[in-house]
Amino acid sequence: MTPLDARRARPVRRARRALAIGLVAVLAAGGAGCASSDSTEEVSVMTHDSFELPQTLIDEFQQRTGYKLNIVRSGDAGQLSSVVSLTPGSPKADAVFGIDNTFAARPIEADALEPYTPRAADQGASEYAVPEHPDLLTAVDHGDVCVNVDEAWFDNAGVAPPTSIDDLTEPRYKDLTVVMDPATSSPGMGFLLSTIGHYQGRTFDYWRALVQNGVRVVSGWEVAYNQEFSAGEGRGSRPLVVSYASSPAATPGTHAILDSCFAQVEYVGILRGARNVDGARKLVDFLLSPDVQAALPTSMYVYPVRKDTRLPTDWRLRAPSPSWTVRMSPDVIDKNREKWLDQWRETVKR
Amino acid sequence: MARDREALTLPGFRVAARPAFALLPMLFTAAVFVWPLGVLAARAASADGGLSVLQAWDRTDAWSLLGVTAAQAAASALAALIVAAPIVWLLARIRLPGAGLIRVLVTLPFVLPTVVVGVAFRALLDGPLERLDISEGWPAIILAHVFLNVAVVVRVVSAAWQRVDQREVAAARSLGAGPLRAFVDVVVPRLLPAVASSLALIFLFCSTSFGVIVILGGGRASTLETEIYLQGIGYGHLSEAVALSVMQILLVLAALGVARAVGSARVPPAAAGMQRRRPRGVVRVAVAGVLAWAVLWLAVPVVTLVVRSLRPGGQWGLSGYRALVDDTYGESALGSLRYSLTSALLAAVIAVAVGLLTAIAVTRTGGLVSRVGAVLAVVPLGVSAVTLGFGYTLALAELPYSVAASPLVVPCVQALIAIPVVVGVMVPALDQVPSRQRDVAASLGAGPLRVFWSVDLRLTARSLGAATAFAFVMAIGEFGATTFLARPNTTTIPVLIGQLMGRPGPDNLATAMAAAVLLVAVSALVVAAVEIFTGTGRVRRRREGGAGVADDV
């Protein structure tokens, strides 16, 4: 070997070493994954991106049942129900939490769910059940989609705030409302459904009047609330926004118009083909337990379905649950979704 | 040693090496891309009420969506080229302290989740830039696309420009050509492949853009991608979603064909290395102007993010950052970051390995097999995240649980999406390596691996650095497809940011913005590390003598 060769050889050796290290790392990662999956018995739940529960409660589940809870977050409610509906019988997890009533018909129709009725269902959950299939999905919480009002804006302007969604088409509330596209936003869909429930055959006349009164349509809740809403982070120009009945709990100085909210119900279900059916049943029971129900408002900004649950103090003051909401069966929503969205598009985009 | 030389000169060697170069990338693409999409297509065809592709196109008005998608992607790519041109010139021609820093900064917008970019642009266009009156619609979308993709042009083209031998420009000048004529005749032909390649990449990114179009489109802008989301997720119409994806793939193939035709114009190979000059006189003014231009485009949106992360509820404060370590509601943002980093680094390693092999197969062998392999490797970039996600959902359900649950699945998919960038950056770079130098090295006794290491890799170190950095930022920023693959405790940072932005209260938004700033900061460190690592080869070579690699073999 000439000295020249020695100099050339160094980078080659270094490359080999790097390759070897890379390979070992890959194998180690693979091995670690395999090893950890058999250590304790576990139950896994697929859920949407906004699922949150305090770690102490999740630990409690493990202590109480002996099962480790694996949480698999998989997009929004629409994506979640698509994934579940695509793989009936060979699911990715044991249970699914977070499919709502706007999407519930799809996994039911795809035969992706296993029946189970928890004992605690009669504590309030059964009132929100899917009419034709009460045993396939169990209601856990509801988030009510309502128009929110920035009180300070109306105080400053010397205008009385609207008290009903009828008022939003009045000239004195021109250019003050921001709503979301129902095709890309689930509260946007909720508001469309609340107008359908409220106005029935006159729904799209109402929307035409809203458009004439300068309603602004944005893609999603993030932009509407954080950017356009005058009480939101971005200090926007519009004091009326579609959001949730619970939002005022997080944003002092706002309240929700409670006359025509849409009840968006979130369900938990056991997936057909689950590896751990017993664990999945215990998870359903757990989600209806008083502790979890009490934690729902602060961890996920939703209302518990259990009637005996006390809301946190600031919720009782600022974000009471609406006494009347538009309820709609998942089947009806599923059958009409495309038609309603088409009509909405035509009306709003001219 | 003698054996090596013999092998290299034997005509059979190159033929034998061909399938080896092309095989691994093709196997990878087949496993991670072709198979899942095949399963999905089969399912769509057999679904109840399944439509033929033509029927589905008809029903979804696919041709007009195709036109809109292609037009906005082309406009975005051209706008990015125009915005990037001065910055390319600065990095390629001017010796400037901190040029590496500019290269790092320019890469960062790439890493930001599109929902963050969308919201940052809305904040800008509704706030300080309100007078432009473009807070919604195509101009806003194209502005955001330019911000996200200007890095592609800057890094790919400036790396190519640096390889142009300045002596040839000088020769042209001494033969009487004016500066413009010398530029057009000598420099431009050598930049064309890189320009075509970067435009094709941006076109592909923008043809599958989702978050930016949804947020800035004001609900009126629909493209193939947004319609695939609506049909697939919104309505649950599998056939329509798959048919629109077929159209998306055709669009991608057409774009790749055009780029390849422009990029493969016969270009004389360039020599290594070029001296950049120090700015003097009027050039200094130009440099200052370009720097201001770069800051305007790159820094303003990022500064908007930083300010918002520091002003929860309109008051200055650090609560957004304090919340990053908070794990009251499960994993903290820092925990997510750790997972994101591991996964993205692994993905970058896979992407660079597979992408480099593909690029070698394309540039060295040129056979039909390698060409097909190259196209296959780039196509994933032009396919909807929803379609990929559906494909994975179905394909993984067919596998044994232990395979489907492997922690390698996420990095492999992130790599799939990053490979096209590695290929797109490395093909024009490797094309430019003079085969003369390779022959010299081989005739002096270097084996094929050594020739590759000491000639090809050294001459393309800067491009390889860019490719690695892009692969990493694409992997860490990937959002759509990986959300379909999620496994326990695999909340990536973009997913976490999305979750936080969807919750009310000023603190959540500040935390989301702080997490975005953290993502940018960590990515900056990784990209800078790549920059330093791949930059050293170049520096050493220069010290060893300006004549390049042929000398020191």
Side-chain angles (χ1 to χ4, degrees):
Chain A
M1 206 184 238
T2 64
L4 210 101
D5 286 321
R7 209 172 74 197
R8 292 274 109 254
R10 215 180 310 130
V12 178
R13 223 180 288 137
R14 207 186 303 150
R16 281 198 194 123
R17 203 190 309 147
L19 266 178
I21 292 171
L23 207 62
V24 168
V26 168
L27 291 175
C34 293
S36 67
S37 62
D38 313 327
S39 52
T40 41
E41 270 225 84
E42 45 191 53
V43 56
S44 53
V45 58
M46 271 175 86
T47 180
H48 50 56
D49 287 341
S50 0
F51 176 85
E52 299 278 25
L53 275 182
Q55 191 63 42
T56 48
L57 281 178
I58 289 173
D59 295 342
E60 201 183 303
F61 175 77
Q62 184 166 357
Q63 278 163 14
R64 223 189 286 169
T65 64
Y67 295 120
K68 184 179 177 303
L69 182 62
N70 273 336
I71 295 155
V72 186
R73 290 187 182 86
S74 184
D76 57 15
Q79 186 172 325
L80 193 63
S81 79
S82 301
V83 169
V84 166
S85 311
L86 280 176
T87 53
S90 49
K92 207 166 120 175
D94 301 307
V96 58
F97 168 75
I99 288 180
D100 65 23
N101 48 340
T102 68
F103 285 108
R106 222 181 278 169
I108 292 174
E109 208 166 297
D111 192 20
L113 300 164
E114 187 84 49
Y116 174 63
T117 308
R119 221 181 306 153
D122 55 5
Q123 303 292 310
S126 58
E127 285 180 25
Y128 294 89
V130 180
E132 301 82 6
H133 309 276
D135 54 344
L136 292 181
L137 288 167
T138 302
V140 173
D141 63 69
H142 60 107
D144 302 305
V145 176
C146 308
V147 172
N148 279 214
V149 178
D150 174 8
E151 291 154 3
W153 191 96
F154 285 100
D155 276 355
N156 289 342
V159 178
T163 53
S164 150
I165 62 169
D166 292 336
D167 298 347
L168 304 186
T169 58
E170 281 182 17
R172 59 185 164 144
Y173 301 119
K174 195 170 170 59
D175 297 337
L176 299 187
T177 312
V178 56
V179 302
M180 291 80 93
D181 184 343
T184 51
S185 154
S186 73
M189 187 74 204
F191 183 61
L192 172 60
L193 293 173
S194 83
T195 60
I196 286 168
H198 194 80
Y199 295 102
Q200 308 285 337
R202 295 182 296 113
T203 301
F204 293 98
D205 296 335
Y206 173 74
W207 276 96
R208 219 160 288 136
L210 270 187
V211 170
Q212 268 160 21
N213 211 28
V215 72
R216 175 167 239 185
V217 182
V218 298
S219 60
W221 183 90
E222 296 87 343
V223 171
Y225 201 90
N226 290 328
Q227 199 59 54
E228 304 292 334
F229 186 39
S230 54
E233 177 72 13
R235 305 281 154 209
S237 58
R238 296 184 174 239
L240 299 168
V241 66
V242 169
S243 189
Y244 291 94
S246 55
S247 309
T251 312
T254 65
H255 71 262
I257 300 177
L258 295 179
D259 80 317
S260 45
C261 301
F262 174 77
Q264 195 181 358
V265 183
E266 288 195 309
Y267 302 100
V268 62
I270 298 171
L271 292 166
R272 192 163 63 77
R275 291 148 51 87
N276 184 352
V277 177
D278 179 57
R281 287 182 177 164
K282 287 188 169 138
L283 177 72
V284 175
D285 295 341
F286 172 67
L287 290 176
L288 288 186
S289 70
D291 287 351
V292 171
Q293 289 282 308
L296 287 171
T298 42
S299 60
M300 281 193 271
Y301 285 99
V302 289
Y303 297 97
V305 291
R306 251 188 109 108
K307 282 180 282 194
D308 55 0
T309 317
R310 239 174 110 81
L311 287 176
T313 319
D314 49 345
W315 281 56
R316 266 176 279 143
L317 294 173
R318 291 207 298 264
S321 176
S323 50
W324 183 86
T325 52
V326 172
R327 302 269 189 97
M328 219 177 272
S329 127
D331 267 352
V332 173
I333 298 173
D334 195 58
K335 287 210 175 68
N336 294 294
R337 181 194 300 269
E338 205 175 339
K339 184 186 82 190
W340 285 338
L341 279 178
D342 278 348
Q343 287 177 322
W344 182 88
R345 270 191 182 183
E346 244 166 65
T347 312
V348 170
K349 293 178 192 172
R350 288 166 296 260
Chain B
M1 189 68 73
R3 197 163 24 94
D4 281 357
R5 195 184 308 169
E6 213 172 39
L8 199 72
T9 47
L10 278 175
F13 177 80
R14 280 176 170 241
V15 179
R18 256 176 233 177
F21 279 138
L23 201 61
L24 181 67
M26 286 184 77
L27 278 178
F28 183 85
T29 318
V32 187
F33 181 66
V34 180
W35 176 55
L37 288 201
V39 174
L40 175 65
R43 171 67 81 89
S46 68
D48 292 341
L51 303 168
S52 78
V53 170
L54 285 176
Q55 282 173 316
W57 282 354
D58 198 37
R59 194 194 263 195
T60 51
D61 204 6
W63 292 103
S64 74
L65 290 172
L66 174 73
V68 172
T69 307
Q72 63 85 14
S76 301
L78 283 177
L81 181 64
I82 294 165
V83 171
I87 310 173
V88 170
W89 167 79
L90 184 75
L91 287 177
R93 294 292 297 120
I94 303 299
R95 200 193 299 172
L96 202 66
L101 188 67
I102 299 176
R103 259 193 300 273
V104 173
L105 286 180
V106 112
T107 316
L108 291 181
F110 225 73
V111 75
L112 285 168
T114 50
V115 54
V116 173
V117 172
V119 169
F121 268 80
R122 279 213 76 120
L124 267 179
L125 296 171
D126 281 343
L129 301 180
E130 204 180 354
R131 257 186 287 163
L132 295 177
D133 197 23
I134 50 164
S135 83
E136 279 183 353
W138 292 112
I141 291 172
I142 289 170
L143 277 183
H145 279 168
V146 167
F147 168 73
L148 280 164
N149 293 309
V150 82
V152 182
V153 182
V154 168
R155 300 207 57 152
V156 175
V157 180
S158 72
W161 200 341
Q162 279 177 19
R163 287 191 303 270
V164 176
D165 191 341
Q166 214 48 35
R167 286 170 304 186
E168 289 184 37
V169 181
R173 293 295 303 279
S174 71
L175 290 172
L180 185 67
R181 175 76 191 273
F183 177 77
V184 170
D185 284 358
V186 179
V187 180
V188 168
R190 296 200 164 88
L191 297 188
L192 264 185
V195 170
S197 168
S198 56
L199 288 182
L201 280 174
I202 298 176
F203 184 89
L204 299 191
F205 287 133
C206 296
S207 66
T208 58
S209 172
F210 181 73
V212 164
I213 293 196
V214 165
I215 293 175
L216 296 176
R220 284 176 182 81
S222 1
T223 60
L224 285 171
E225 183 76 23
T226 61
E227 192 65 21
I228 289 171
Y229 182 90
L230 185 64
Q231 296 288 342
I233 304 273
Y235 303 153
H237 291 167
L238 217 49
S239 325
E240 280 89 339
V242 169
L244 289 170
S245 295
V246 169
M247 183 160 277
Q248 230 179 5
I249 291 175
L250 294 178
L251 175 66
V252 169
L253 291 176
L256 288 175
V258 172
R260 203 68 193 127
V262 176
S264 63
R266 278 291 96 203
V267 176
M274 173 190 81
Q275 296 296 317
R276 283 173 292 174
R277 53 187 171 155
R278 287 179 197 288
R280 282 208 188 82
V282 72
V283 177
R284 281 195 186 173
V285 181
V287 167
V290 175
L291 280 176
W293 178 249
V295 167
L296 178 74
W297 279 93
L298 299 166
V300 170
V302 176
V303 169
T304 312
L305 284 185
V306 175
V307 168
R308 293 203 112 187
S309 73
L310 288 168
R311 280 179 72 88
Q315 307 276 312
W316 294 99
L318 285 172
S319 65
Y321 288 86
R322 272 195 291 271
L324 291 177
V325 292
D326 180 16
D327 56 1
T328 320
Y329 296 115
E331 207 179 16
S332 69
L334 283 180
S336 285
L337 184 68
R338 203 175 317 125
Y339 171 75
S340 288
L341 268 177
T342 321
S343 164
L345 284 172
L346 199 55
V349 169
I350 299 171
V352 168
V354 177
L356 199 54
L357 282 175
T358 311
I360 293 168
V362 176
T363 52
R364 279 311 113 70
T365 58
L368 183 68
V369 178
S370 68
R371 245 177 262 162
V372 171
V375 169
L376 266 183
V378 182
V379 168
L381 203 52
V383 175
S384 160
V386 169
T387 309
L388 271 182
F390 279 180
Y392 289 131
T393 303
L394 291 172
L396 289 174
E398 288 185 356
L399 290 174
Y401 183 80
S402 57
V403 179
S406 159
L408 282 179
V409 172
V410 170
C412 279
V413 171
Q414 291 174 330
L416 177 76
I417 293 158
I419 287 168
V421 187
V422 178
V423 175
V425 173
M426 290 314 288
V427 165
L430 286 171
D431 256 340
Q432 291 248 35
V433 173
S435 58
R436 217 178 33 213
Q437 296 202 353
R438 233 178 265 131
D439 296 343
V440 170
S443 69
L444 286 172
L449 184 62
R450 201 169 295 174
V451 171
F452 175 69
W453 180 268
S454 55
V455 179
D456 297 78
L457 275 195
R458 284 204 156 191
L459 288 185
T460 57
R462 185 138 313 290
S463 298
L464 189 67
T468 313
F470 276 133
F472 171 78
V473 296
M474 283 207 68
I476 204 168
E478 210 287 326
F479 177 71
T482 40
T483 61
F484 284 91
L485 301 167
R487 290 281 157 195
N489 300 319
T490 55
T491 311
T492 62
I493 279 276
V495 171
L496 182 85
I497 292 169
Q499 293 168 9
L500 288 164
M501 289 182 73
R503 316 171 103 218
D507 285 345
N508 281 322
L509 188 73
T511 309
M513 294 299 167
V517 172
L518 186 70
L519 177 64
V520 169
V522 170
S523 304
L525 286 179
V526 174
V527 173
V530 170
E531 188 72 28
I532 290 164
F533 178 72
T534 49
T536 48
R538 190 178 51 86
V539 171
R540 189 164 55 231
R541 190 174 65 238
R542 190 170 288 162
R543 224 177 277 140
E544 282 166 2
V549 182
D551 275 3
D552 64 9
V553 170

